């Protein structure tokens, strides 16, 4: 049984998230692409990014791609992603832009046999490019970005993650943080050396331990079997620094995805808006069969 962070059970029967090890991800044998998916998540999504009240430029970015070709829907599905760039001057903005563009392009390369391998390789492609730019252009040294992305394919969400942006699953009354923050303070919390409250106020809370731009980067990859009604939230730390999980859940449950993204950004700004803030909300309305998806004109 999987537990939420508040200790409440999310589901009594199935473990809803499973972390993949790199060896398992890379061990998938090649196979013929499927002509079309068996299951199509019927979703509505909304997104919002904002400079915040303090920063001079927005180094956060979100992007998405919802393919219409049946083969791409079957093999890769739709992707929603956020990045939070870092580095002086405009370097962070360039890092998040380059990382997202490269990640999406590499992910939809069908040479790779399966989704998790494609997610892993796409992160490596983004990492290689950001490192190359950082090393070759003075003033861009040390630039990097977080990356948290959800690929919705068949009945699953595949989440890939580096850094301290987050993916949450909101199912019924429960909000679960799917991703672990790759931050110095959260690693201390996981080891029992700091309390979550101390982490919140630590001067080291912005130090991240994994990001696009680092040597030998290992992303975390998770798979979440979806249920109709699930909502996924992807967000940067500009939201989670200011808005507690319970409020995120409440707003997302009571608004459309667009209105929820807008309202959550407003709440982060009202609380100080100390950072750029970005929110993507994906509401899984139904899991349709291919035939149903065609009948309603969704594909
Ligand atoms: Mg940030």
């Amino acid at each position: 049984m999987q537990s939420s962070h508040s200790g409440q059970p999310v589901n009594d029967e199935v473990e809803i998230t499973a972390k993949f090890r790199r060896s398992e991800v890379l061990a998938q044998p090649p196979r013929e692409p499927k002509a079309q998916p068996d299951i199509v998540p019927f979703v509505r999504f909304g997104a919002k990014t904002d400079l915040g009240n303090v920063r001079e430029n927005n180094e956060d970015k979100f992007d998405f791609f919802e393919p219409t070709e049946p083969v791409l829907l079957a093999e890769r599905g739709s992707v929603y992603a956020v990045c939070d760039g870092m580095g002086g001057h405009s370097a962070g903005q360039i890092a998040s832009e380059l990382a997202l563009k490269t990640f999406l392009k590499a992910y939809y390369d069908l040479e790779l046999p399966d989704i998790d391998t494609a997610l892993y390789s796409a992160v490596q492609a983004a990492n290689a490019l950001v490192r190359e730019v950082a090393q070759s252009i003075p003033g861009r040294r040390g630039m990097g970005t977080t990356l948290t992305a959800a690929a919705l394919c068949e009945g699953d969400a595949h989440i890939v993650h580096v850094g301290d942006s987050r993916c949450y699953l909101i199912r019924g009354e429960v909000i679960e943080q799917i991703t672990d923050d790759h931050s110095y303070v959260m690693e201390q919390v996981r080891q029992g050396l700091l309390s979550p409250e101390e982490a919140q106020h630590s001067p080291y809370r912005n130090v991240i331990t994994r990001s696009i731009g680092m040597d030998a980067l290992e992303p975390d990859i998770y798979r979440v079997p979806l249920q109709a009604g699930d909502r996924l939230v992807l967000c940067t730390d500009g939201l989670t620094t200011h808005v507690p999980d319970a409020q995120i859940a409440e707003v997302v449950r009571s608004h459309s995805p667009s209105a929820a993204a807008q309202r959550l950004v407003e709440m982060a700004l009202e609380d100080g808006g100390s950072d750029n803030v970005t929110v993507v909300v994906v509401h899984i309305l139904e899991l349709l069969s291919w035939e149903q998806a065609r009948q309603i004109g969704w594909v």
Side-chain angles (χ1 to χ4, degrees):
M1 182 171 72
Q2 181 78 28
S3 289
S4 73
H5 280 208
S6 59
Q8 292 172 278
V10 169
N11 187 309
D12 286 335
E13 284 159 15
V14 288
E15 187 177 327
I16 62 163
T17 65
K19 203 161 167 176
F20 285 73
R21 269 189 273 277
R22 186 184 181 205
S23 55
E24 291 167 357
V25 167
L26 297 179
Q28 305 291 326
R31 54 171 180 73
E32 283 300 301
K34 286 175 75 174
Q36 66 205 33
D38 298 318
I39 299 169
V40 184
F42 178 40
V43 307
R44 184 178 290 159
F45 102 99
K48 181 88 181 156
T49 186
D50 194 279
L51 184 63
N53 298 334
V54 177
R55 300 294 175 93
E56 289 185 339
N57 52 11
N58 192 350
E59 301 184 327
D60 282 4
K61 194 168 168 62
F62 69 84
D63 206 347
F64 66 97
F65 186 65
E66 295 178 328
T68 51
E69 298 84 348
V71 172
L72 276 188
L73 278 173
E75 293 293 324
R76 293 291 180 266
S78 297
V79 172
Y80 308 86
V82 298
C83 279
D84 177 351
M86 67 208 90
H89 307 289
S90 57
Q93 212 166 343
I94 294 161
S96 55
E97 175 98 30
L98 285 179
L100 262 186
K101 192 160 54 173
T102 311
F103 169 80
L104 280 175
K105 189 165 182 298
Y107 175 69
Y108 284 99
D109 176 358
L110 289 182
E111 300 278 298
L112 293 163
D114 64 88
I115 289 183
D116 295 316
T117 308
L119 288 173
Y120 182 89
S121 300
V123 166
Q124 299 304 340
N127 195 44
L129 184 74
V130 168
R131 283 176 62 75
E132 190 187 312
V133 173
Q135 282 161 10
S136 60
I137 303 173
R140 306 258 160 91
R141 292 213 168 84
M143 78 177 191
T145 180
T146 71
L147 189 151
T148 304
L152 272 53
C153 191
E154 298 283 358
D156 293 324
H158 301 249
I159 317 293
V160 68
H161 166 71
V162 286
D164 66 353
S165 301
R166 290 182 181 173
C167 176
Y168 290 96
L169 170 69
I170 297 162
R171 175 174 291 169
E173 292 304 304
V174 177
I175 178 166
E176 185 193 7
Q177 187 181 326
I178 301 293
T179 50
D180 287 331
D181 293 353
H182 298 145
S183 69
Y184 174 72
V185 292
M186 287 315 289
E187 277 170 19
Q188 301 251 300
V189 170
R190 285 193 283 276
Q191 289 169 36
L193 301 171
L194 272 186
S195 71
E197 292 70 34
E198 287 167 332
Q200 228 13 21
H201 301 103
S202 165
Y204 304 112
R205 64 184 180 278
N206 294 325
V207 177
I208 63 175
T209 50
R210 281 191 246 175
S211 60
I212 301 275
M214 273 180 184
D215 190 22
L217 181 62
E218 282 294 315
D220 288 338
I221 298 178
Y222 305 84
R223 185 170 59 85
V224 180
L226 293 169
Q227 296 180 7
D230 284 351
R231 292 165 169 97
L232 293 171
V233 176
L234 305 174
C235 61
T236 59
D237 66 333
L239 177 72
T240 51
T241 300
H242 292 293
V243 184
D245 291 5
Q247 287 184 30
I248 295 174
E250 203 263 312
V251 168
V252 168
R253 272 197 295 263
S254 57
H255 294 73
S256 72
S258 275
Q262 173 107 26
R263 181 65 200 126
L264 289 171
V265 167
E266 282 168 8
M267 287 163 73
L269 301 187
E270 285 160 12
D271 191 63
S274 60
D275 193 3
N276 306 144
V277 48
T278 301
V279 184
V280 172
V281 180
V282 185
H283 185 186
I284 293 90
L285 299 166
E286 292 283 352
L287 294 169
L288 302 173
S289 68
W290 176 250
E291 272 315 306
Q292 288 171 321
R294 287 200 73 91
Q295 277 163 15
I296 66 163
W298 177 245
V299 292

Coordinates of all heavy atoms in Angstrom, one line a residue, residues 82-112:
V82 N 7.4 21.2 -16.8 CA 7.9 22.5 -16.2 C 9.4 22.4 -16.0 O 10.0 21.4 -15.7 CB 7.2 22.8 -14.9 CG1 5.7 23.0 -15.1 CG2 7.5 21.8 -13.8
C83 N 10.0 23.6 -16.1 CA 11.4 23.8 -15.8 C 11.6 25.0 -15.0 O 10.9 26.0 -15.2 CB 12.2 24.0 -17.1 SG 12.6 22.5 -18.0
D84 N 12.6 25.0 -14.1 CA 13.0 26.2 -13.3 C 14.5 26.4 -13.5 O 15.3 25.7 -12.9 CB 12.6 25.9 -11.9 CG 13.0 27.1 -10.9 OD1 13.7 28.0 -11.3 OD2 12.5 27.0 -9.7
G85 N 14.8 27.4 -14.3 CA 16.2 27.6 -14.7 C 17.0 28.4 -13.6 O 16.4 29.0 -12.8
M86 N 18.3 28.2 -13.7 CA 19.2 28.9 -12.7 C 20.5 29.3 -13.4 O 20.9 28.7 -14.4 CB 19.4 28.0 -11.5 CG 20.3 26.8 -11.8 SD 19.9 25.5 -10.6 CE 18.6 24.6 -11.5
G87 N 21.1 30.3 -12.9 CA 22.3 30.8 -13.4 C 22.2 32.3 -13.6 O 21.1 32.8 -13.7
G88 N 23.3 33.0 -13.6 CA 23.3 34.5 -13.5 C 22.7 35.1 -14.8 O 22.6 34.4 -15.8
H89 N 22.4 36.4 -14.8 CA 21.9 37.1 -16.0 C 20.8 36.4 -16.6 O 19.8 36.0 -16.0 CB 23.1 37.4 -16.9 CG 24.2 38.1 -16.2 ND1 24.2 39.4 -15.7 CD2 25.4 37.6 -15.7 CE1 25.3 39.7 -15.1 NE2 26.0 38.6 -15.1
S90 N 20.9 36.1 -17.9 CA 19.7 35.4 -18.6 C 20.0 33.9 -18.7 O 19.3 33.2 -19.4 CB 19.5 36.1 -20.0 OG 20.7 36.0 -20.7
A91 N 21.1 33.4 -18.1 CA 21.5 32.0 -18.3 C 20.4 31.0 -17.9 O 20.1 30.0 -18.6 CB 22.7 31.7 -17.5
G92 N 19.7 31.3 -16.8 CA 18.6 30.4 -16.3 C 17.5 30.3 -17.3 O 16.9 29.2 -17.6
Q93 N 17.2 31.4 -17.9 CA 16.1 31.4 -18.9 C 16.5 30.6 -20.1 O 15.7 29.9 -20.7 CB 15.9 32.9 -19.3 CG 14.5 33.2 -19.7 CD 14.3 34.8 -19.7 OE1 15.1 35.5 -19.2 NE2 13.2 35.2 -20.4
I94 N 17.7 30.8 -20.5 CA 18.2 30.0 -21.7 C 18.3 28.5 -21.4 O 17.9 27.7 -22.2 CB 19.6 30.5 -22.1 CG1 19.5 32.0 -22.7 CG2 20.2 29.7 -23.2 CD1 20.7 32.8 -22.7
A95 N 18.7 28.2 -20.2 CA 18.8 26.8 -19.8 C 17.4 26.1 -19.8 O 17.3 25.0 -20.3 CB 19.4 26.7 -18.4
S96 N 16.4 26.8 -19.2 CA 15.1 26.1 -19.2 C 14.5 26.0 -20.6 O 13.9 25.0 -21.0 CB 14.1 26.9 -18.2 OG 14.0 28.2 -18.5
E97 N 14.7 27.1 -21.4 CA 14.2 27.0 -22.8 C 14.9 25.9 -23.6 O 14.2 25.1 -24.3 CB 14.6 28.4 -23.4 CG 14.2 28.6 -24.9 CD 12.9 29.3 -25.1 OE1 12.5 30.1 -24.3 OE2 12.3 29.0 -26.1
L98 N 16.2 25.8 -23.5 CA 16.9 24.8 -24.3 C 16.6 23.4 -23.8 O 16.4 22.5 -24.6 CB 18.4 25.0 -24.1 CG 19.1 26.2 -24.9 CD1 20.6 26.2 -24.6 CD2 18.9 26.0 -26.4
A99 N 16.5 23.3 -22.5 CA 16.2 22.0 -21.9 C 14.9 21.4 -22.3 O 14.7 20.3 -22.8 CB 16.3 22.0 -20.4
L100 N 13.8 22.3 -22.3 CA 12.5 21.8 -22.6 C 12.4 21.5 -24.1 O 11.8 20.5 -24.5 CB 11.5 22.9 -22.3 CG 10.7 22.7 -20.9 CD1 9.7 23.8 -20.8 CD2 10.1 21.4 -20.8
K101 N 12.9 22.4 -24.9 CA 12.9 22.1 -26.3 C 13.6 20.8 -26.7 O 13.0 20.0 -27.5 CB 13.5 23.3 -27.0 CG 13.3 23.4 -28.5 CD 13.5 24.8 -29.1 CE 14.8 25.4 -28.8 NZ 15.0 26.7 -29.5
T102 N 14.7 20.6 -26.2 CA 15.5 19.4 -26.5 C 14.9 18.2 -25.9 O 14.8 17.1 -26.6 CB 17.0 19.6 -25.9 OG1 17.5 20.9 -26.3 CG2 17.9 18.5 -26.4
F103 N 14.4 18.3 -24.7 CA 13.7 17.2 -24.1 C 12.5 16.7 -24.9 O 12.4 15.5 -25.2 CB 13.3 17.6 -22.7 CG 12.3 16.6 -22.0 CD1 12.9 15.4 -21.4 CD2 11.0 16.8 -22.0 CE1 12.0 14.5 -20.9 CE2 10.1 15.9 -21.4 CZ 10.6 14.7 -20.8
L104 N 11.7 17.6 -25.3 CA 10.5 17.2 -26.1 C 10.8 16.6 -27.4 O 10.2 15.6 -27.8 CB 9.5 18.5 -26.3 CG 8.7 18.8 -25.1 CD1 7.9 20.1 -25.3 CD2 7.7 17.7 -24.7
K105 N 11.8 17.2 -28.1 CA 12.1 16.7 -29.4 C 12.7 15.3 -29.3 O 12.3 14.4 -30.0 CB 13.2 17.7 -30.0 CG 13.5 17.4 -31.5 CD 14.2 18.6 -32.1 CE 14.5 18.3 -33.5 NZ 15.4 17.1 -33.7
A106 N 13.6 15.1 -28.3 CA 14.2 13.8 -28.1 C 13.2 12.8 -27.7 O 13.3 11.6 -28.1 CB 15.4 13.9 -27.1
Y107 N 12.2 13.2 -26.9 CA 11.3 12.2 -26.3 C 10.4 11.6 -27.5 O 10.1 10.4 -27.4 CB 10.3 12.9 -25.3 CG 9.3 12.0 -24.8 CD1 9.6 10.9 -24.0 CD2 7.9 12.2 -25.2 CE1 8.6 10.0 -23.6 CE2 6.9 11.3 -24.8 CZ 7.3 10.2 -24.0 OH 6.3 9.4 -23.6
Y108 N 10.1 12.4 -28.5 CA 9.2 11.9 -29.5 C 10.0 11.2 -30.6 O 9.4 10.8 -31.7 CB 8.3 13.0 -30.1 CG 7.2 13.3 -29.1 CD1 7.3 14.4 -28.2 CD2 6.1 12.5 -29.1 CE1 6.2 14.6 -27.4 CE2 5.0 12.7 -28.2 CZ 5.1 13.8 -27.3 OH 4.1 14.0 -26.5
D109 N 11.3 10.9 -30.4 CA 12.1 10.1 -31.3 C 11.7 8.6 -31.2 O 12.0 8.0 -30.2 CB 13.6 10.3 -31.0 CG 14.5 9.5 -31.8 OD1 13.9 8.7 -32.7 OD2 15.7 9.6 -31.7
L110 N 11.0 8.1 -32.2 CA 10.5 6.7 -32.0 C 11.5 5.6 -32.2 O 11.2 4.4 -32.2 CB 9.3 6.5 -33.0 CG 8.0 7.3 -32.6 CD1 6.9 7.0 -33.6 CD2 7.6 7.0 -31.2
E111 N 12.8 6.0 -32.4 CA 13.8 5.0 -32.5 C 13.9 4.2 -31.1 O 14.4 3.1 -31.1 CB 15.2 5.6 -32.7 CG 15.3 6.4 -34.0 CD 15.6 5.5 -35.2 OE1 16.7 4.9 -35.2 OE2 14.8 5.5 -36.1
L112 N 13.5 4.9 -30.1 CA 13.7 4.3 -28.7 C 12.5 3.4 -28.4 O 11.4 3.7 -28.8 CB 13.9 5.4 -27.7 CG 15.2 6.1 -27.9 CD1 15.2 7.4 -27.1 CD2 16.4 5.2 -27.4

